[in-house]
Amino acid sequence: MRMVMVGIFLLLGLVVSPAVVLVHGQPGFISIDCGLAEGSGYKDDETTIDYSSDTDFIEAGVNKNISSSFISTSLQRQLLNLRSFPDGSRNCYTIKPVEMDSKYLIRASFMYGNYDGLNLFPQFDLYLGVNLWDSVNLTGTSGTMSTEIITISSRNFMSVCLVNTGLGTPFISTLELRLMDMSLYNLTTDDSDSLVLYKRLDVGSTTGQIVRYPNDTLDFIWSPYNLPSWTSIFTLSEVKDLYGQFSAPSMVMSTAVRPANESSDTLNFSWTTDNPSLQFHVVDHYAELEVLKENEVRDFMDCGTGVFCYGPFSPDYLVADAIYTKDTMTGQDHYSVSVIKANDSTLPPILNAIEIYALKRLPDTATNNRDVDAIMNIKATYRVKRNWMGDPCLPKNYTWEGLNCSYDSSYPPTIISLDLSSTRLSGEIAPSLGNLTSIQFLDLSRNNLTGAVPDFLVKLSFLTFLNLSSNKLNGSVPSALLERSQDGSLILSFGDNPNLCTSYSCNTTEPCLSGSCKKKHKKFVIPVIAALSVAAVLVIFTALIAWRKFREKRQGEPAANANKECSFLIQHNRRFTSTEIMRMTNNFQRVLGKGAFGTVYHGQMEDGTEVAIKMLSQIRHGSVEFQTEAQLLMRVYHKNLVSFIGYCAEGDNKALILEYMLEGNLAKHLSGKDKNARVLNWGQRLQIALDVAQGLEYLHFGCKPPIIHRDVKAANILLNERLEAKIADFGLSKAFLDEELTHISTAVKGTHGYLDPEYFNSSKLNEKSDVYSFGVVLFELITGQPAIIQSVGSERTTIVNWVAPMIEIGDIKNVVDPRLHGDYDISSGWKAIEIAIACTPPKSIGRPNMSDVVAELKECLGIGIAPERTTSVKSERPENTFGSMSYPSARW
Ligand SMILES: *[C@@H]1O[C@H](CO)[C@@H](O)[C@H](O)[C@H]1NC(C)=O
Ligand SMILES: *[C@@H]1O[C@H](CO)[C@@H](O)[C@H](O)[C@H]1NC(C)=O
Ligand SMILES: *[C@@H]1O[C@H](CO)[C@@H](O)[C@H](O)[C@H]1NC(C)=O
Ligand SMILES: *[C@@H]1O[C@H](CO)[C@@H](O)[C@H](O)[C@H]1NC(C)=O
Ligand SMILES: *[C@@H]1O[C@H](CO)[C@@H](O)[C@H](O)[C@H]1NC(C)=O
């Protein structure tokens, strides 16, 4: 059997690294020599125990050596060096692996040895996990102390913490764990209680040496003990442990004492304490060491002060036995144990060994295991550079930096918030985050996280705040998160992830066209285009033809485009160089307009196609809007949205190449300032309204996630040569999922006069804000007035407020644009007004959605283009139109 075992160990030695072998040199032992140089270890000459350095178990502290004046040949090697903790009020060792739900003896040893030259013993506290284990109070000339606790591990690691109590720098010399059988030392009534060693004495020792490993296979340390009133007896035979309840080795049990005075029939042992609240458990070990003659009897009583008296008891020859009680001795400062000769005994009493333990309740339950495992994993995965030691949540005033916990007395604490922003995290979002199941707040912003936004985040059902901004994530955001963000249950941020498909429609099979496209462009397409400009021209050409063909086909299609994917034209977008832009605009000759974010120039492609080139102004810091618009335009295609042809992004030169809209913007047409602009007739106005409504309907319902334009206004509606209207300027657009939608956005954006009052007041945006702005545009189309009206001698007012009193009295003649000279159908006029009114109540809940508006406008247009009722202009509003109020609240 031995031979086989040796063989196996040799084999293991070949495959396992020496450091690991050292740590586990003795099965069930973890033996740490604190302050030993990193990676080193040794086999102790005396004990043959393998010790290793503590660097794998702690990240803080400094290695120190005791003063040479304390070094002697008899000094244990482990005490020569130590780890001291000048920084931080709590420093913790995380010792692993330990077996879960197993019993361990943990021993911490300290020897000051004037290592810091201060010649002043520090005092500090020692914690096991979240509970106070002992206060370290050093004694002797060199300042030593050792403390042991027998406890059951509740997880796969142990944390031992040194807490600075303001009385000097904590340090530690040795840390030892010994795995015990669960059946050993079951002294307490409650299994969850621990035992702190008070004394462990090898009574009657003949050598005067301590006994420990290998003589005690569990490496319990037995100190020799004798009293003048005692006489030693011993045997050379082995004392067997048949009961397996305690760990008293033969070497300890083979020596004993009896009273020195033959006439005395009692062995007394006593101790004092200055803490009467301590509860002591005593274990008296017995084994008969002498062969008793026929007529001899050794019988005795074992009595503890006022608590118990057990016996008469007669120990068996060379068999270890013990007397102990589950009751504790407490409430006094002086205790004694008496072993008293029984009446029928012919021989004096004996005592082989004695152990005294103080009961230690560890009342504070550590943080929820799953959370601890998760956060430990996270710490390891990201090598978090924070003072994260010991239990994450406890003690409360040592909660780990960057996280908060919930404390409910009936449950272990759980982690409810974690802020890891700006902590240089790299790699993917750690799966362990998904095990923080109670988490409500998670901030991972400003790191270097890569990879996808994982689905497991969706399962964190308590999550109300998630910030992934400013990373390098890619792919798309899980739709369930977007939905929660949309319904307001989650504040979700993921801006500034250049490769993340943040918004807009992405079809599910190819989740992030834009992300991957852009990436490819950056890494690959630029150099290729630069090098092969000839090929580039060909590419433009092909793309353009494809695009035009597509457009022609598209324009023949019926208006409603709802529920089409909008990630469509992507393959046709192209990237232009700034040289190409210069050539196309003929050195930026013709200005078409100036927008909020830069100037729009006229340009011409090589095939003669006219384009509008929107240059991003470098001064105006509009790059966010530029990016928003570019990203959105790449994904959307609809006949009522301005088409996107390509873009240029070369350093500071950024441009969007858009479909050229010959007739310019609607505001210009309605204002009458442009003398060349024709007055739009009623039918054209209704058609423009329908075009715009269809464009918005597509953004709201045809795109997934929906898009809110946020800046619907006459100036952003462009007309082509056929007076077809297209919505432009997506710089402020938001996909529903975007962060600002679900929480207070700091800046309400939009244009005064068109701005939804509810959004303005609450900062809560939804697609009904566009409906409001559309209503304003419709009023502009009807009245020919601008959104903000400054009439002579009166206050500025919005168009909505301006028309209200006139509508109230049914004065349609003064509502409708006088430039139409009454050339419109009255019922069509009223219908249009009703739609505009329905779109503009102050509360969004009362507004119709854009699909309803489209339907109503179509109806209206049917009426509007019906022939010749224009001559009989009635100025009263027809009863039936308002009476049948086309917008019952149920429908809207
Ligand atoms: C520490 O030990 C010294 C000497 O044994 C003793 O006087 C002192 O009261 C102890 N302090 C504490 C806090 O136990
Ligand atoms: C933590 O709290 C304990 C008891 O509430 C207190 O004794 C200790 O000084 C506190 N530590 C810190 C660092 O605040
Ligand atoms: C934790 O709670 C404190 C106090 O309530 C708060 O100031 C801090 O922001 C919270 N930290 C996190 C990460 O939520
Ligand atoms: C999450 O917890 C479960 C059980 O609590 C565990 O099996 C799993 O390995 C953990 N996952 C991660 C990634 O830590
Ligand atoms: C998310 O983090 C970014 C970067 O730190 C910050 O600018 C943004 O305000 C955060 N979002 C929220 C909702 O707090």
Side-chain angles (χ1 to χ4, degrees), residues 432-455:
S432 298
L433 284 163
N435 269 3
L436 293 175
T437 48
S438 305
I439 199 155
Q440 299 166 13
F441 175 104
L442 180 58
D443 191 346
L444 300 173
S445 64
R446 294 178 198 269
N447 286 299
N448 287 317
L449 293 171
T450 51
V453 179
D455 278 327

PDB file of all heavy atoms in Angstrom, residues 432-455:
ATOM      1  N   SER A 432     -19.783  36.395 -14.575  1.00  0.00           N
ATOM      2  CA  SER A 432     -20.088  36.411 -13.141  1.00  0.00           C
ATOM      3  C   SER A 432     -21.006  37.561 -12.759  1.00  0.00           C
ATOM      4  O   SER A 432     -21.723  37.471 -11.763  1.00  0.00           O
ATOM      5  CB  SER A 432     -18.804  36.508 -12.335  1.00  0.00           C
ATOM      6  OG  SER A 432     -18.012  35.386 -12.581  1.00  0.00           O
ATOM      7  N   LEU A 433     -20.975  38.629 -13.534  1.00  0.00           N
ATOM      8  CA  LEU A 433     -21.889  39.740 -13.234  1.00  0.00           C
ATOM      9  C   LEU A 433     -23.328  39.250 -13.258  1.00  0.00           C
ATOM     10  O   LEU A 433     -24.186  39.762 -12.539  1.00  0.00           O
ATOM     11  CB  LEU A 433     -21.692  40.878 -14.245  1.00  0.00           C
ATOM     12  CG  LEU A 433     -20.439  41.729 -14.013  1.00  0.00           C
ATOM     13  CD1 LEU A 433     -20.111  42.536 -15.252  1.00  0.00           C
ATOM     14  CD2 LEU A 433     -20.633  42.655 -12.827  1.00  0.00           C
ATOM     15  N   GLY A 434     -23.571  38.259 -14.108  1.00  0.00           N
ATOM     16  CA  GLY A 434     -24.918  37.708 -14.210  1.00  0.00           C
ATOM     17  C   GLY A 434     -25.346  36.943 -12.971  1.00  0.00           C
ATOM     18  O   GLY A 434     -26.509  36.621 -12.806  1.00  0.00           O
ATOM     19  N   ASN A 435     -24.390  36.643 -12.070  1.00  0.00           N
ATOM     20  CA  ASN A 435     -24.735  35.943 -10.835  1.00  0.00           C
ATOM     21  C   ASN A 435     -25.017  36.899  -9.682  1.00  0.00           C
ATOM     22  O   ASN A 435     -25.375  36.459  -8.606  1.00  0.00           O
ATOM     23  CB  ASN A 435     -23.600  34.982 -10.452  1.00  0.00           C
ATOM     24  CG  ASN A 435     -23.807  33.596 -11.041  1.00  0.00           C
ATOM     25  OD1 ASN A 435     -24.768  33.358 -11.779  1.00  0.00           O
ATOM     26  ND2 ASN A 435     -22.923  32.682 -10.717  1.00  0.00           N
ATOM     27  N   LEU A 436     -24.838  38.179  -9.926  1.00  0.00           N
ATOM     28  CA  LEU A 436     -25.205  39.168  -8.896  1.00  0.00           C
ATOM     29  C   LEU A 436     -26.703  39.422  -9.039  1.00  0.00           C
ATOM     30  O   LEU A 436     -27.147  40.470  -9.488  1.00  0.00           O
ATOM     31  CB  LEU A 436     -24.415  40.463  -9.078  1.00  0.00           C
ATOM     32  CG  LEU A 436     -22.915  40.383  -8.840  1.00  0.00           C
ATOM     33  CD1 LEU A 436     -22.249  41.709  -9.177  1.00  0.00           C
ATOM     34  CD2 LEU A 436     -22.621  40.012  -7.394  1.00  0.00           C
ATOM     35  N   THR A 437     -27.479  38.461  -8.615  1.00  0.00           N
ATOM     36  CA  THR A 437     -28.894  38.463  -8.990  1.00  0.00           C
ATOM     37  C   THR A 437     -29.727  39.524  -8.279  1.00  0.00           C
ATOM     38  O   THR A 437     -30.852  39.765  -8.670  1.00  0.00           O
ATOM     39  CB  THR A 437     -29.515  37.080  -8.744  1.00  0.00           C
ATOM     40  OG1 THR A 437     -29.145  36.666  -7.438  1.00  0.00           O
ATOM     41  CG2 THR A 437     -29.005  36.080  -9.747  1.00  0.00           C
ATOM     42  N   SER A 438     -29.181  40.140  -7.245  1.00  0.00           N
ATOM     43  CA  SER A 438     -29.959  41.173  -6.555  1.00  0.00           C
ATOM     44  C   SER A 438     -29.601  42.574  -7.035  1.00  0.00           C
ATOM     45  O   SER A 438     -30.115  43.557  -6.520  1.00  0.00           O
ATOM     46  CB  SER A 438     -29.707  41.114  -5.050  1.00  0.00           C
ATOM     47  OG  SER A 438     -29.968  39.836  -4.557  1.00  0.00           O
ATOM     48  N   ILE A 439     -28.696  42.627  -7.979  1.00  0.00           N
ATOM     49  CA  ILE A 439     -28.144  43.938  -8.301  1.00  0.00           C
ATOM     50  C   ILE A 439     -29.183  44.859  -8.952  1.00  0.00           C
ATOM     51  O   ILE A 439     -30.000  44.436  -9.754  1.00  0.00           O
ATOM     52  CB  ILE A 439     -26.872  43.806  -9.157  1.00  0.00           C
ATOM     53  CG1 ILE A 439     -26.072  45.097  -9.092  1.00  0.00           C
ATOM     54  CG2 ILE A 439     -27.206  43.433 -10.585  1.00  0.00           C
ATOM     55  CD1 ILE A 439     -24.611  44.898  -9.354  1.00  0.00           C
ATOM     56  N   GLN A 440     -29.128  46.112  -8.519  1.00  0.00           N
ATOM     57  CA  GLN A 440     -30.056  47.116  -9.042  1.00  0.00           C
ATOM     58  C   GLN A 440     -29.331  48.169  -9.870  1.00  0.00           C
ATOM     59  O   GLN A 440     -29.900  48.774 -10.755  1.00  0.00           O
ATOM     60  CB  GLN A 440     -30.776  47.813  -7.870  1.00  0.00           C
ATOM     61  CG  GLN A 440     -31.586  46.855  -7.026  1.00  0.00           C
ATOM     62  CD  GLN A 440     -32.010  47.475  -5.698  1.00  0.00           C
ATOM     63  OE1 GLN A 440     -31.904  48.686  -5.495  1.00  0.00           O
ATOM     64  NE2 GLN A 440     -32.499  46.651  -4.800  1.00  0.00           N
ATOM     65  N   PHE A 441     -28.076  48.404  -9.514  1.00  0.00           N
ATOM     66  CA  PHE A 441     -27.325  49.500 -10.124  1.00  0.00           C
ATOM     67  C   PHE A 441     -25.994  48.941 -10.602  1.00  0.00           C
ATOM     68  O   PHE A 441     -25.247  48.370  -9.803  1.00  0.00           O
ATOM     69  CB  PHE A 441     -27.116  50.586  -9.059  1.00  0.00           C
ATOM     70  CG  PHE A 441     -26.243  51.741  -9.483  1.00  0.00           C
ATOM     71  CD1 PHE A 441     -26.809  52.962  -9.811  1.00  0.00           C
ATOM     72  CD2 PHE A 441     -24.862  51.607  -9.531  1.00  0.00           C
ATOM     73  CE1 PHE A 441     -26.000  54.036 -10.181  1.00  0.00           C
ATOM     74  CE2 PHE A 441     -24.052  52.678  -9.913  1.00  0.00           C
ATOM     75  CZ  PHE A 441     -24.629  53.903 -10.231  1.00  0.00           C
ATOM     76  N   LEU A 442     -25.720  49.076 -11.868  1.00  0.00           N
ATOM     77  CA  LEU A 442     -24.453  48.548 -12.399  1.00  0.00           C
ATOM     78  C   LEU A 442     -23.854  49.561 -13.359  1.00  0.00           C
ATOM     79  O   LEU A 442     -24.461  49.905 -14.375  1.00  0.00           O
ATOM     80  CB  LEU A 442     -24.703  47.210 -13.105  1.00  0.00           C
ATOM     81  CG  LEU A 442     -23.482  46.522 -13.730  1.00  0.00           C
ATOM     82  CD1 LEU A 442     -22.402  46.268 -12.695  1.00  0.00           C
ATOM     83  CD2 LEU A 442     -23.885  45.212 -14.393  1.00  0.00           C
ATOM     84  N   ASP A 443     -22.702  50.066 -12.989  1.00  0.00           N
ATOM     85  CA  ASP A 443     -22.040  51.068 -13.821  1.00  0.00           C
ATOM     86  C   ASP A 443     -20.692  50.511 -14.287  1.00  0.00           C
ATOM     87  O   ASP A 443     -19.783  50.313 -13.481  1.00  0.00           O
ATOM     88  CB  ASP A 443     -21.839  52.363 -13.025  1.00  0.00           C
ATOM     89  CG  ASP A 443     -21.409  53.523 -13.915  1.00  0.00           C
ATOM     90  OD1 ASP A 443     -21.011  53.265 -15.078  1.00  0.00           O
ATOM     91  OD2 ASP A 443     -21.478  54.683 -13.472  1.00  0.00           O
ATOM     92  N   LEU A 444     -20.597  50.233 -15.583  1.00  0.00           N
ATOM     93  CA  LEU A 444     -19.349  49.720 -16.160  1.00  0.00           C
ATOM     94  C   LEU A 444     -18.757  50.730 -17.139  1.00  0.00           C
ATOM     95  O   LEU A 444     -17.907  50.388 -17.962  1.00  0.00           O
ATOM     96  CB  LEU A 444     -19.604  48.389 -16.884  1.00  0.00           C
ATOM     97  CG  LEU A 444     -20.163  47.240 -16.045  1.00  0.00           C
ATOM     98  CD1 LEU A 444     -20.515  46.055 -16.924  1.00  0.00           C
ATOM     99  CD2 LEU A 444     -19.159  46.823 -14.988  1.00  0.00           C
ATOM    100  N   SER A 445     -19.210  51.968 -17.032  1.00  0.00           N
ATOM    101  CA  SER A 445     -18.808  52.950 -18.035  1.00  0.00           C
ATOM    102  C   SER A 445     -17.329  53.320 -17.908  1.00  0.00           C
ATOM    103  O   SER A 445     -16.713  53.109 -16.874  1.00  0.00           O
ATOM    104  CB  SER A 445     -19.678  54.196 -17.911  1.00  0.00           C
ATOM    105  OG  SER A 445     -19.474  54.830 -16.670  1.00  0.00           O
ATOM    106  N   ARG A 446     -16.819  53.895 -18.993  1.00  0.00           N
ATOM    107  CA  ARG A 446     -15.426  54.361 -19.077  1.00  0.00           C
ATOM    108  C   ARG A 446     -14.413  53.271 -18.778  1.00  0.00           C
ATOM    109  O   ARG A 446     -13.604  53.382 -17.853  1.00  0.00           O
ATOM    110  CB  ARG A 446     -15.198  55.537 -18.123  1.00  0.00           C
ATOM    111  CG  ARG A 446     -15.974  56.777 -18.495  1.00  0.00           C
ATOM    112  CD  ARG A 446     -15.722  57.861 -17.484  1.00  0.00           C
ATOM    113  NE  ARG A 446     -16.738  58.880 -17.570  1.00  0.00           N
ATOM    114  CZ  ARG A 446     -16.639  59.956 -18.337  1.00  0.00           C
ATOM    115  NH1 ARG A 446     -15.585  60.147 -19.064  1.00  0.00           N
ATOM    116  NH2 ARG A 446     -17.629  60.829 -18.368  1.00  0.00           N
ATOM    117  N   ASN A 447     -14.526  52.184 -19.493  1.00  0.00           N
ATOM    118  CA  ASN A 447     -13.534  51.131 -19.399  1.00  0.00           C
ATOM    119  C   ASN A 447     -13.142  50.707 -20.805  1.00  0.00           C
ATOM    120  O   ASN A 447     -13.458  51.412 -21.760  1.00  0.00           O
ATOM    121  CB  ASN A 447     -14.101  49.960 -18.598  1.00  0.00           C
ATOM    122  CG  ASN A 447     -14.164  50.272 -17.117  1.00  0.00           C
ATOM    123  OD1 ASN A 447     -13.139  50.525 -16.493  1.00  0.00           O
ATOM    124  ND2 ASN A 447     -15.356  50.274 -16.547  1.00  0.00           N
ATOM    125  N   ASN A 448     -12.454  49.580 -20.903  1.00  0.00           N
ATOM    126  CA  ASN A 448     -12.074  49.082 -22.226  1.00  0.00           C
ATOM    127  C   ASN A 448     -12.767  47.764 -22.524  1.00  0.00           C
ATOM    128  O   ASN A 448     -12.182  46.865 -23.111  1.00  0.00           O
ATOM    129  CB  ASN A 448     -10.560  48.879 -22.288  1.00  0.00           C
ATOM    130  CG  ASN A 448      -9.850  50.205 -22.348  1.00  0.00           C
ATOM    131  OD1 ASN A 448     -10.285  51.111 -23.075  1.00  0.00           O
ATOM    132  ND2 ASN A 448      -8.781  50.335 -21.584  1.00  0.00           N
ATOM    133  N   LEU A 449     -13.999  47.646 -22.071  1.00  0.00           N
ATOM    134  CA  LEU A 449     -14.704  46.387 -22.268  1.00  0.00           C
ATOM    135  C   LEU A 449     -14.962  46.151 -23.746  1.00  0.00           C
ATOM    136  O   LEU A 449     -15.327  47.071 -24.477  1.00  0.00           O
ATOM    137  CB  LEU A 449     -16.022  46.403 -21.495  1.00  0.00           C
ATOM    138  CG  LEU A 449     -15.849  46.430 -19.972  1.00  0.00           C
ATOM    139  CD1 LEU A 449     -17.186  46.669 -19.291  1.00  0.00           C
ATOM    140  CD2 LEU A 449     -15.224  45.135 -19.487  1.00  0.00           C
ATOM    141  N   THR A 450     -14.755  44.916 -24.161  1.00  0.00           N
ATOM    142  CA  THR A 450     -14.962  44.568 -25.561  1.00  0.00           C
ATOM    143  C   THR A 450     -16.005  43.460 -25.644  1.00  0.00           C
ATOM    144  O   THR A 450     -16.508  42.995 -24.627  1.00  0.00           O
ATOM    145  CB  THR A 450     -13.642  44.080 -26.185  1.00  0.00           C
ATOM    146  OG1 THR A 450     -13.092  43.078 -25.338  1.00  0.00           O
ATOM    147  CG2 THR A 450     -12.648  45.211 -26.327  1.00  0.00           C
ATOM    148  N   GLY A 451     -16.283  43.046 -26.851  1.00  0.00           N
ATOM    149  CA  GLY A 451     -17.230  41.948 -27.046  1.00  0.00           C
ATOM    150  C   GLY A 451     -18.665  42.447 -26.998  1.00  0.00           C
ATOM    151  O   GLY A 451     -18.929  43.644 -27.034  1.00  0.00           O
ATOM    152  N   ALA A 452     -19.554  41.483 -26.927  1.00  0.00           N
ATOM    153  CA  ALA A 452     -20.971  41.804 -27.037  1.00  0.00           C
ATOM    154  C   ALA A 452     -21.559  42.192 -25.688  1.00  0.00           C
ATOM    155  O   ALA A 452     -20.977  41.941 -24.647  1.00  0.00           O
ATOM    156  CB  ALA A 452     -21.712  40.595 -27.592  1.00  0.00           C
ATOM    157  N   VAL A 453     -22.721  42.834 -25.764  1.00  0.00           N
ATOM    158  CA  VAL A 453     -23.493  43.072 -24.547  1.00  0.00           C
ATOM    159  C   VAL A 453     -24.249  41.774 -24.279  1.00  0.00           C
ATOM    160  O   VAL A 453     -25.130  41.398 -25.035  1.00  0.00           O
ATOM    161  CB  VAL A 453     -24.487  44.232 -24.742  1.00  0.00           C
ATOM    162  CG1 VAL A 453     -25.306  44.439 -23.476  1.00  0.00           C
ATOM    163  CG2 VAL A 453     -23.738  45.504 -25.109  1.00  0.00           C
ATOM    164  N   PRO A 454     -23.859  41.053 -23.227  1.00  0.00           N
ATOM    165  CA  PRO A 454     -24.362  39.685 -23.076  1.00  0.00           C
ATOM    166  C   PRO A 454     -25.828  39.616 -22.650  1.00  0.00           C
ATOM    167  O   PRO A 454     -26.339  40.515 -21.974  1.00  0.00           O
ATOM    168  CB  PRO A 454     -23.461  39.100 -21.995  1.00  0.00           C
ATOM    169  CG  PRO A 454     -22.930  40.264 -21.246  1.00  0.00           C
ATOM    170  CD  PRO A 454     -22.925  41.442 -22.155  1.00  0.00           C
ATOM    171  N   ASP A 455     -26.453  38.525 -23.042  1.00  0.00           N
ATOM    172  CA  ASP A 455     -27.864  38.319 -22.730  1.00  0.00           C
ATOM    173  C   ASP A 455     -28.119  38.114 -21.247  1.00  0.00           C
ATOM    174  O   ASP A 455     -29.211  38.361 -20.767  1.00  0.00           O
ATOM    175  CB  ASP A 455     -28.397  37.100 -23.490  1.00  0.00           C
ATOM    176  CG  ASP A 455     -28.761  37.474 -24.911  1.00  0.00           C
ATOM    177  OD1 ASP A 455     -29.193  38.634 -25.106  1.00  0.00           O
ATOM    178  OD2 ASP A 455     -28.611  36.639 -25.808  1.00  0.00           O
TER     179      ASP A 455
END
